[in-house]
Each structure stands twice: as C-alpha cells, then as structure tokens.
Amino acid sequence: MKKDFLALNQFTKAELDDLFTLTRELKEKQKKGIEHHLLKGKTVALIFEKSSTRTRVSFEVGVFQLGGHGLFISSATSQMGRGEPIRDTARTIARYCDGVMIRTYGQEVVEEFARYSSVPVINGLTDLFHPCQVMADLFTVIEHRGGYQGLKFAWIGDGNNMANTWVEAATVFGFDLTLACPPGYEPDEKVLAWARDRATSKIVLTHDPKEAAKDADVLNTDVWASMGQEQEQQEREQAFAGFQLNEALLDEAKGNCMVLHCLPAHRGEEISDDVIEGPHSAVWDEAENRLHVQKAIMATLMV
Ligand code: CP
Ligand code: NVA
C-alpha cells in the first residue's frame, strides 16, 4: 500500500527517527560524492499553488541527486488554475509519475489529492502544516545538539502552519514546547486538542514571549503574515509588537541556545538582523537540511 507524507501525526516516533537515520546516510553520501540513485528512472511531480524558493529548489535538486527527474508544475499555468478538479488532476498525474509533492492552501486539498492518487503524495506546505520543514528543523537540532530529547523548544510568534507542525512534532517525539502567540493568533484548535488528548509532551501556550524563551534550548519563529495573508500585514504588525525574536529575548534562553527560522525572514519584524546573522542562528544549515530530509522522505515512500 502506498504511503503519503501529509502530516507528522500519520507517523510514529520510530518511523520518523528512521527517516533521520536515512537522512544522515544520504547527506554523507552526497557530501562524499557517492552515488545514491535510489529513484533511478523515477519521476516526481512538484506542484506549486504558492510561491517557493527553498522547497522548489531542494525538491528538484533532491530528485536529481537520487537519479530521478522532477517536474515543476505551477497551478497558474496548468489546468488546475482553470478549475480542473483535484481528483482528476491527481488520477492523471499518477499515471505518469512515481510521486507527487504539492504546495497549496487547504490541507483538505492535499488530502483529496492523496486519496485519488495511486502514487505517494508529499505535503510541501499548506495553511495548516509544513511537515518537511519541521523534519529539517529537527534534523538540524540533532546535528547541532546530538538529539532532541530533554531539550526545551520555544515558538515565538504566529500560531501558523509551522507552529501547528511543531505542536504535532512535540507530541510525536515527546519533547517540551512552549508557544508564545498574541491573543487571537494561537495554533489551530483541533491540532491542540489532538495534542492534549495524547498528552505525550508538555505543551504550554502563553502570550508572553519571555516565558517561552526562558531557559529554552531552541527558539523558533516565522513571518507574522503567511502566504495568503498579505492583506493582513498591517494589523498583524500591530498585534505582534513585542514578539520579535531579538537579543533581549535570547538573554532569557540558555547560553548555548539555537535559533531557527524556516525562511523567508522579514528582518526587523519577527526576527532582528543581529539574531538571524548571529552565532546562535542555524538557519542556513536548516535550509540545507530541507534537501537531505526530503530525499529521505522521497526514497522511503517511492522506492
Ligand atoms: N521554508 C520554505 O518552505 O521556503 P520556501 O517558501 O522558499 O519554499
Ligand atoms: N508560514 C509561512 C511559511 C513559509 C515557508 C507561510 O506559510 O507563508
């Protein structure tokens, strides 16, 4: 039976840890120039209904390094943009390709796509989740800190797709997470309820960024207005005043803390220039690890 990668809640900790093991192997092979053509002769459709730099480039390069071929498909220039039903697109593309990555708005779109696709579907970001990114983030933490167990994670800012995915990650992997979001910008209620039911980790919600940053090992933030929310930029700037990840906030965290940001970043808004460029920032390793983690995901689902 084919398996999709739509959300972290579909997986056990052991399955995701296996993905990290394969990520490490593939990264080492790529660095040493050892061939690892696990997708030789295979084709992966990369469908984008939103903009992208990292996701597009890392998937295209990743498929190539695995010996396969990636096809960039923009919804604007395909029949999807003219209203062809998702289920028709999904069944058609599955007749040509061995896998699909899709970036879109509603999580229900990737779910419908996956239901009708006979080949594996990977979520490349929806309004609800960004699972490839959080896997890359955690892999970066493992590389820098030797693991994630026992570390205190902080989320500062919008309760958006990244924050929701961190809530799922904390629950599946079992680490403590404190999220500081302005009132009205908390993570998705259903995702929080799912995490509360499982109760496998301590997840704290606060409106105080200092409380989240206190003694944190890993601090994470993201833009205040995500793709699709551009018209809310001004009101969000007001609501998020005081939620910038800056040096003053880092003073609350552990001395050897790490700073993550999925990028693209708005310096001077959710993160200060000195923090993103500073010694605690791991954002470039984080961006690179999208490539390695996604290769492991594709190889696991599509071989
Ligand atoms: N972090 C991330 O997904 O970046 P892009 O939007 O550039 O793909
Ligand atoms: N929350 C951001 C993440 C971008 C990678 C967005 O959805 O626009």
Side-chain angles (χ1 to χ4, degrees), residues 1-300:
M1 242 263 284
K2 67 127 185 176
K3 178 112 179 162
D4 303 301
F5 190 83
L6 308 185
L8 298 186
N9 68 17
Q10 297 171 255
F11 297 92
T12 63
K13 176 178 178 301
E15 287 170 327
L16 297 179
D17 280 335
D18 284 348
L19 278 176
F20 290 139
T21 304
L22 182 57
T23 301
R24 206 170 296 117
E25 278 171 29
L26 295 178
K27 182 168 181 176
E28 208 175 296
K29 284 192 172 149
Q30 192 253 323
K31 297 285 176 197
K32 290 183 175 160
I34 300 171
E35 192 183 286
H36 48 288
H37 285 171
L38 299 174
L39 292 188
K40 193 170 179 187
K42 300 212 172 176
T43 308
V44 184
L46 309 170
I47 303 173
F48 288 86
E49 295 211 77
K50 288 175 173 172
S51 303
S52 171
T53 297
R54 280 145 288 273
T55 306
R56 176 179 177 178
V57 177
S58 57
F59 266 102
E60 282 198 22
V61 170
V63 181
F64 176 78
Q65 290 181 358
L66 289 169
H69 178 72
L71 290 95
F72 172 75
I73 303 168
S74 148
S75 65
T77 54
S78 67
Q79 299 292 3
M80 289 178 79
R82 296 182 59 247
E84 181 167 11
I86 294 296
R87 57 186 186 278
D88 294 2
T89 307
R91 284 176 291 190
T92 305
I93 287 182
R95 296 289 179 112
Y96 306 129
C97 297
D98 301 286
V100 176
M101 187 246 48
I102 177 165
R103 165 170 287 196
T104 185
Y105 292 87
Q107 180 72 9
E108 66 283 357
V109 174
V110 294
E111 283 168 6
E112 183 177 352
F113 204 109
R115 237 184 351 268
Y116 284 92
S117 168
S118 56
V119 299
V121 175
I122 297 171
N123 179 354
L125 178 147
T126 62
D127 293 342
L128 192 64
F129 292 126
H130 197 0
C132 293
Q133 180 70 55
V134 173
M135 286 298 285
D137 295 4
L138 276 168
F139 186 75
T140 311
V141 172
I142 294 168
E143 282 187 323
H144 281 245
R145 302 295 298 269
Y148 50 76
Q149 292 302 354
L151 298 183
K152 188 181 171 223
F153 290 77
W155 178 267
I156 316 285
D158 192 17
N160 61 12
N161 43 11
M162 283 295 300
N164 294 333
T165 314
W166 273 100
V167 170
E168 288 206 339
T171 303
V172 175
F173 289 104
F175 53 74
D176 292 348
L177 171 68
T178 303
L179 303 109
C181 312
Y185 294 94
E186 292 88 357
D188 183 82
E189 196 39 60
K190 278 195 198 135
V191 175
L192 288 172
W194 173 86
R196 270 195 299 268
D197 280 353
R198 296 226 163 175
T200 51
S201 65
K202 194 169 130 215
I203 298 177
V204 177
L205 267 184
T206 173
H207 299 314
D208 178 6
K210 278 193 175 177
E211 186 187 335
K214 185 98 194 109
D215 298 326
D217 295 283
V218 181
L219 298 99
N220 207 328
T221 190
D222 187 13
V223 291
W224 291 338
S226 285
M227 289 182 276
Q229 298 172 333
E230 290 79 3
Q231 72 295 345
E232 296 173 29
Q233 177 70 28
Q234 273 189 343
E235 68 180 81
R236 282 173 171 266
E237 277 175 30
Q238 284 172 6
F240 285 84
F243 281 77
Q244 185 184 84
L245 184 45
N246 54 25
E247 288 291 350
L249 213 49
L250 278 200
D251 283 345
E252 303 290 326
K254 295 226 178 88
N256 62 346
C257 68
M258 282 175 69
V259 169
L260 299 176
H261 189 310
C262 63
L263 305 174
H266 291 179
R267 287 167 169 78
E269 289 182 31
E270 78 277 359
I271 194 162
S272 62
D273 187 65
D274 49 2
V275 166
I276 197 167
E277 298 292 350
H280 296 281
S281 170
V283 301
W284 313 115
D285 290 343
E286 181 187 3
E288 176 186 336
N289 283 330
R290 291 290 302 279
L291 170 71
H292 307 295
V293 158
Q294 289 159 191
K295 283 167 70 179
I297 294 169
M298 288 188 286
T300 300

